[in-house]
Amino acid sequence: QVQLVESGGGVVQAGGSLRLTCVATGNQFSINVMAWFRQAPGKERELIGSVSSGGTIEYSNSAKGRFRIARDSGKNAIHLQANNLNDQDTAMYYCAAGRIAFPDYVYDYWGQGTQVTVSS
């Protein structure tokens, strides 16, 4: 019922920045939380941060200081501003959305991802 499409990935030099976008379509009224995840080769999927329908933004400890999530109120979209990237940030970045926000966030919908590659 909800489709998510990520964009904005690519190749960036170490120290550079990217701005990723996730656009939600379909039954967007059911969404109570949206989030950014990433998964590097051979690694587990990792939460970057989330934003609830009430506007609460939370970040994982590893993401604080270099990643920022922003809402686009004119569209059903969120953005991920990623700064000062390094080779450890190379991963597939995924947008996720969920209908359940309690007692914990549950993500029902996933985009197909956008690749971020950080080069030296």
Side-chain angles (χ1 to χ4, degrees), residues 23-119:
V23 178
T25 59
N27 188 14
Q28 303 149 23
F29 299 104
S30 67
I31 296 174
N32 281 307
V33 62
M34 295 182 68
W36 286 100
F37 291 81
R38 67 182 181 182
Q39 187 168 24
K43 303 292 182 63
E44 294 183 354
R45 184 176 58 201
E46 176 187 24
L47 173 69
I48 299 171
S50 64
V51 55
S52 73
S53 60
T56 300
I57 299 176
E58 299 177 351
Y59 298 96
S60 67
N61 289 333
S62 63
K64 290 182 178 179
R66 298 194 299 116
F67 294 86
R68 177 179 290 183
I69 294 174
R71 287 175 154 182
D72 188 336
S73 60
K75 302 177 181 178
N76 293 302
I78 60 170
H79 305 276
L80 179 68
Q81 181 67 43
N83 298 323
N84 194 24
L85 293 165
N86 60 67
D87 58 359
Q88 299 302 305
D89 297 315
T90 294
M92 184 71 74
Y93 284 70
Y94 296 95
C95 180
R99 295 170 291 172
I100 304 299
F102 57 88
D104 207 353
Y105 291 157
V106 177
Y107 297 100
D108 306 286
Y109 310 104
W110 295 83
Q112 294 195 10
T114 184
Q115 178 69 39
V116 172
T117 301
V118 183
S119 63

